[in-house]
């Protein structure tokens, strides 16, 4: 039944979230990535990973994947705008 | 005065008939007048709001602030002082709606009392600034102290308003009648205001940064919330009064 | 695949979790925290000097506790989501068990956070030490308050399910609302963790 299928889905989402968390926490330890990205790109990447994790939480835990467009769109827009502002601030060393 | 212990044979519509709310809209107009005086007084004439960088300013800077356009400040504060009590009818109306129509007498009293406290602190805020502006040539330390005192009375005392917001929230969500008098969005809106106003409780600790009384979370967010709340209150109460008069 | 099955089954009926007005509260809270996040980033990059202060501050934070707290909160979110799923399937005992695990995780978060605060205090770092720590203590403090409120709400749901059994169970809307609030708390910490602990 749909409710208990959700239990399985949530477990997979959780595993993805944990993997992303561990990836983010150890991103700077991975030497070849550290040489590839400079400090600012690294920071931007970390914020982006946080954004992806937030997307997963809203889509699956908050059950927005079955929500009407205004709600889902609103949440995605908020996330996109927040990430855009934060990442541009990081890459441009501050806003304007 | 016997408050409604709803008898089994009375319906909410009959209850509402016992109370005359037909002149109730004047409370909303009165609140609008208060908002007008506030905006004209402390935002336009005597620009006390926003307090750009004043939480960390030196005594001399504050003293200079009061010296310039001193008469304009006095007039602005005078208008603010005059308009402040006109918010009381709105709080009283909400209180009566909660006590009688929604049959939550204690919550209604809590709401009204907390609202009065908030207004009292608004009076104190205006008195402090008025005193500072009264003799701007005094020692800068004293002027700064009065100015800071005014700001602490303005923002730090948010907990009284938070209690008022909380009581309205509880009342709206506990209203299980078939025709709820306040719309659901009003309950959630008040809850949101609680979140916006909470950081205002720690502004006494910081001189700089977002939690100072001139910072993002110490001034901009709470006061944007406060004015949005005035508007929401007026709209929601006007709607409630219309519903009450239709039911009667 | 499991994802698409669930999605396809539910695509027919689009439903708003809890009720539309509830999302005013969620978006409102997200708005406030977004303002806080942006203020933090702007302050960080104000000058080269402030960036150094922020980097130093970030490095002095207890990374192990930060990571643990993130994983703990993610786990608690899982438990709460599972609890809601069990509640919908009328399996109340399992629902309560999941919720209690979620509450347990939440309490661990609070405990670790307080331990961290005390550790910082012992190191002489307080809220007025530097800009970074001003932001750190206040932002995580506000978040901690949200966590405590969330734990209380979850406890209330557990109480309602346990005590009342068949009569006057909590409505699904209330449960969903509390669960969404908890997920929001988790979501905010994900960003806080990245901003404070990882940017260095």
């Amino acid at each position: 039944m749909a409710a208990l299928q959700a239990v399985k889905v949530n477990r997979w989402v959780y595993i993805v979230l944990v993997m992303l968390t561990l990836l983010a926490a150890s991103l700077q330890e991975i030497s070849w990535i550290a040489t590839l990205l400079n400090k600012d790109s690294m920071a931007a990447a970390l914020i982006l990973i946080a954004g992806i994790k937030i997307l997963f939480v809203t889509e699956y835990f908050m059950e927005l994947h079955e929500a009407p467009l205004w709600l889902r769109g609103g949440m995605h827009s908020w996330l996109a705008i927040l990430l855009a502002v934060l990442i541009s601030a990081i890459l441009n060393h501050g806003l304007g | 005065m016997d408050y409604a212990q709803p008898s089994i044979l009375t319906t909410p519509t009959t209850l509402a008939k016992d109370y005359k709310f037909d002149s109730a809209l004047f409370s909303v107009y009165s609140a609008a007048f208060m908002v007008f005086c506030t905006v004209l007084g402390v935002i336009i004439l005597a620009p006390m709001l926003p307090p750009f960088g004043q939480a960390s300013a030196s005594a001399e800077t504050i003293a200079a602030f009061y010296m310039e356009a001193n008469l304009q400040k006095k007039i602005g504060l005078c208008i603010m002082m005059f308009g402040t009590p006109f918010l009381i009818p709105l709080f009283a109306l909400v209180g009566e709606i909660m006590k009688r129509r929604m049959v939550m007498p204690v919550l209604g009293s809590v709401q009204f009392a907390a609202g009065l406290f908030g207004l009292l602190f608004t009076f104190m805020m205006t008195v402090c600034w008025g005193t500072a502006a009264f003799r701007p040539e005094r020692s800068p330390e004293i002027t700064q102290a009065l100015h800071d005192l005014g700001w602490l009375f303005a923002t730090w005392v948010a907990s009284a308003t938070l209690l008022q917001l909380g009581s309205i929230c509880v009342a709206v969500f506990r209203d299980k009648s078939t025709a709820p008098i306040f719309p659901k969005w009003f309950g959630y809106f008040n809850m949101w205001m609680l979140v916006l106003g909470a950081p205002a409780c720690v502004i006494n600790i910081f001189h700089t940064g977002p939690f100072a009384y001139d910072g993002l979370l110490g001034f901009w967010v709470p006061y944007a919330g406060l004015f949005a709340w005035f508007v929401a209150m007026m709209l929601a109460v006007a709607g409630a009064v219309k519903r009450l008069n239709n039911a009667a | 695949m499991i994802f698409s099955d669930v999605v396809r089954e539910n695509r027919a009926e689009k439903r708003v979790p809890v009720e539309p007005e509830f999302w005013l509260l969620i978006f409102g809270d997200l708005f406030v925290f977004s303002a806080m996040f942006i203020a933090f980033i702007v302050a960080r990059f104000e000058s080269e000097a402030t960036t150094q202060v922020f980097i130093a501050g970030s490095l002095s934070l207890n990374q192990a506790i930060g990571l643990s707290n993130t994983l703990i909160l993610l786990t608690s979110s899982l438990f709460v989501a599972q609890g809601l799923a069990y509640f919908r399937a009328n399996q109340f005992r399992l629902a309560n068990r999941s919720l209690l695990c979620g509450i347990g995780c939440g309490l661990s978060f609070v405990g670790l956070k307080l331990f961290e605060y005390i550790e910082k205090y012992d190191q002489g770092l307080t809220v007025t030490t530097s800009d970074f720590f001003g932001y750190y203590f206040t932002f995580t403090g506000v978040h901690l308050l949200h966590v405590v409120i969330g734990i209380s709400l979850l406890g209330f749901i557990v109480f309602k399910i346990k005590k009342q059994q068949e009569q006057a169970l909590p409505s699904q809307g209330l449960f969903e609302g509390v669960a969404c609030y908890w997920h929001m708390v988790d979501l905010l910490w994900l960003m806080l963790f990245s901003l404070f602990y990882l940017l260095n």
Side-chain angles (χ1 to χ4, degrees), chain B residues 188 191-192 195-196 206 211, chain C residues 19 21 25 28-29 32 36 138:
Chain B
Y188 285 117
M191 221 184 272
W192 180 27
V195 175
L196 292 187
F206 301 92
F211 285 86
Chain C
E19 54 187 339
E21 293 91 342
L25 178 67
D29 219 353
V32 177
M36 286 159 66
T138 43

Side-chain angles (χ1 to χ4, degrees), chain B residues 48 60 83 105 116 128 134 159 176 186 191-192 210 227 232 244:
Chain B
M48 305 297 297
E60 283 73 25
L116 285 182
C128 291
F134 189 59
S159 55
K176 300 273 190 280
F186 189 53
M191 221 184 272
W192 180 27
F227 283 96
L244 281 170

Side-chain angles (χ1 to χ4, degrees), chain C residues 4-5 12 14 16 21 26 31 37 47 50 64 72 78 93-94 97 101 107 123 149 170 172 176 182 187 190:
Chain C
S4 44
D5 281 343
K14 284 197 180 294
V16 180
E21 293 91 342
I26 296 289
F31 172 73
F37 297 152
S47 74
T50 55
I72 284 174
L78 175 69
R93 195 157 287 178
L94 279 173
R97 202 173 294 170
C101 290
L107 289 170
Q123 289 169 356
I149 293 173
Q172 190 180 265
E176 276 180 4
W182 187 257
L187 180 168
L190 289 176

Side-chain angles (χ1 to χ4, degrees), chain B residues 117-154:
Chain B
F117 268 93
L119 273 175
L120 170 68
F121 299 136
T122 309
F123 272 112
M124 310 284 299
M125 159 194 100
T126 319
V127 169
C128 291
W129 289 339
T131 315
F134 189 59
R135 280 190 233 269
E137 63 277 6
R138 92 2 249 260
S139 151
E141 270 78 32
I142 300 181
T143 307
Q144 185 188 38
L146 286 169
H147 185 74
D148 287 341
L149 188 63
W151 271 105
L152 262 58
F153 265 122

Side-chain angles (χ1 to χ4, degrees), chain B residues 74-171:
Chain B
K74 284 179 177 147
I75 295 175
L77 288 169
C78 183
I79 294 175
M80 170 74 186
M81 180 63 91
F82 182 75
T84 307
F86 288 89
L87 197 55
I88 295 180
L90 186 67
F91 292 161
L93 175 59
V94 174
E96 288 303 304
I97 292 177
M98 283 163 68
K99 276 182 213 177
R100 296 167 189 255
R101 174 64 176 75
M102 298 166 87
V103 198
M104 299 182 201
V106 178
L107 271 175
S109 295
V110 167
Q111 184 276 144
F112 187 47
L116 285 182
F117 268 93
L119 273 175
L120 170 68
F121 299 136
T122 309
F123 272 112
M124 310 284 299
M125 159 194 100
T126 319
V127 169
C128 291
W129 289 339
T131 315
F134 189 59
R135 280 190 233 269
E137 63 277 6
R138 92 2 249 260
S139 151
E141 270 78 32
I142 300 181
T143 307
Q144 185 188 38
L146 286 169
H147 185 74
D148 287 341
L149 188 63
W151 271 105
L152 262 58
F153 265 122
T155 313
W156 192 28
V157 297
S159 55
T161 312
L162 295 183
L163 182 64
Q164 184 184 14
L165 295 170
S167 58
I168 296 178
C169 274
V170 174

